[in-house]
Amino acid sequence: MGIQENIKDVEEKIKASCEKCGRNPEDVTLIAVSKTKPVSMLQEAYEYGCRDFGENKVQELVDKYEQMPKDIRWHMIGHLQRNKVKYIVDKVYLIHSVDSLRLAEEISKEAVKKNVSVSILVEVNVAGEESKFGTTSEEAYKLVEEIAKLPNIIVKGLMTIAPYVENSEENKQYFEKLRQIYVDIVDKNIDNVYMEELSMGMTGDYEVAITQGATYVRVGTGIFGERSYTE
Ligand SMILES: *Cc1c(COP(=O)(O)O)cnc(C)c1O
């Protein structure tokens, strides 16, 4: 199948998942995760109507930002180093991967310099996997509260990367947990925190994530095909 057919297929599955649990499909945004893929493939997705693209490397995001139309919303979904924040603060729509106060401080500092306001999600390692970035479930609340005090940075919600599993139902517990952390934080009514987004679910498990409240699903392989890192 081609890219456009793939997107159509994913959109239909999103709709079906929403129907199953009584959600409005308009409340779920599909992010086309285009990392490692050439601009020509992004263009195909763009022509179909995709406006949300996800990248995990700063240099690649900046390169593609320069080559693609300006009405795209770029999502930084990968681990972000503090010394690279300055290259993207005025280019990204949403940073999904903020997992420390030091990183948030750097984003805030650069945002003030460039006179922009940056929306972020706090990444939580709900499954507690050692190989993954993200704050712990226990520390998520405190981190949100501290980031909320910084200028020019807005906490919009939470993000998680679930483990790789054969049966996507196994990840339901982690999506449920992220949602619970989210609800707990909303209940605390922190000043300057406008929690409305839950970024969870990838090609293998986005349908399950939707049943647990995902507002952003990040789909790469399901749209662009397998990635090759050896080329
Ligand atoms: C690569 C990546 C995805 C997309 O993964 P697929 O399994 O190809 O859909 C989603 N989220 C993050 C954070 C990623 O790095």
Side-chain angles (χ1 to χ4, degrees):
M1 280 206 297
I3 289 169
Q4 302 195 346
E5 282 131 298
N6 288 343
I7 300 170
K8 207 168 164 192
D9 184 58
V10 172
E11 282 178 346
E12 268 159 24
K13 286 183 176 142
I14 290 173
K15 247 186 225 153
S17 299
C18 284
E19 261 161 37
K20 227 168 62 182
C21 61
R23 295 187 60 198
N24 183 347
E26 282 177 13
D27 296 337
V28 180
T29 301
L30 170 62
I31 298 174
V33 176
S34 47
K35 61 191 189 197
T36 79
K37 299 296 179 184
V39 163
S40 60
M41 289 176 90
L42 279 71
Q43 258 148 4
E44 243 185 273
Y46 181 87
E47 275 158 30
Y48 176 84
C50 273
R51 292 297 178 270
D52 290 272
F53 288 85
E55 289 287 338
N56 70 340
K57 293 215 161 68
V58 167
Q59 186 61 52
E60 196 174 341
L61 189 151
V62 171
D63 285 347
K64 287 172 174 170
Y65 173 91
E66 271 151 20
Q67 294 176 66
M68 294 290 293
K70 288 293 165 283
D71 62 340
I72 287 175
R73 293 176 288 270
W74 292 98
H75 297 260
M76 177 61 192
I77 61 173
H79 182 62
L80 181 56
Q81 286 171 300
R82 281 180 298 140
N83 61 353
K84 294 192 175 159
V85 166
K86 57 178 175 284
Y87 302 115
I88 60 160
V89 280
D90 55 347
K91 298 183 178 66
V92 284
Y93 176 75
L94 182 64
I95 300 174
H96 292 232
S97 44
V98 176
D99 62 355
S100 72
L101 185 59
R102 287 174 78 205
L103 174 59
E105 282 169 344
E106 183 67 21
I107 293 169
S108 170
K109 194 183 98 192
E110 290 298 327
V112 168
K113 255 197 220 167
K114 293 203 164 74
N115 198 23
V116 293
S117 159
V118 181
S119 297
I120 63 116
L121 305 179
V122 165
E123 180 175 354
V124 188
N125 183 359
V126 274
E129 285 184 289
E130 253 174 57
S131 60
K132 296 249 165 82
F133 293 104
T135 185
T136 63
S137 303
E138 293 73 29
E139 282 176 357
Y141 165 66
K142 220 178 114 215
L143 184 55
V144 168
E145 197 179 39
E146 282 170 353
I147 296 174
K149 294 176 192 155
L150 302 172
N152 296 42
I153 184 166
I154 306 163
V155 184
K156 283 282 178 68
L158 305 176
M159 179 270 227
T160 198
I161 304 173
Y164 181 78
V165 288
E166 287 292 327
N167 175 4
S168 60
E169 285 293 326
E170 286 171 39
N171 279 339
K172 189 172 153 188
Q173 55 177 321
Y174 301 122
F175 300 140
E176 219 173 347
K177 192 164 170 196
L178 191 72
R179 186 184 166 79
Q180 194 51 56
I181 298 168
Y182 166 90
V183 169
D184 288 346
I185 295 173
V186 169
D187 283 349
K188 295 208 164 99
N189 249 319
I190 308 168
D191 279 348
N192 200 31
V193 173
Y194 306 93
M195 299 280 275
E196 48 198 22
E197 309 294 355
L198 275 174
S199 170
M200 54 190 197
M202 314 186 358
T203 296
D205 54 21
Y206 67 90
E207 292 165 276
V208 177
I210 287 169
T211 68
Q212 301 308 308
T215 62
Y216 280 117
V217 292
R218 311 177 306 263
V219 179
T221 312
I223 291 176
F224 299 106
E226 296 286 338
R227 286 175 295 273
S228 159
Y229 289 99
T230 52
E231 277 167 10

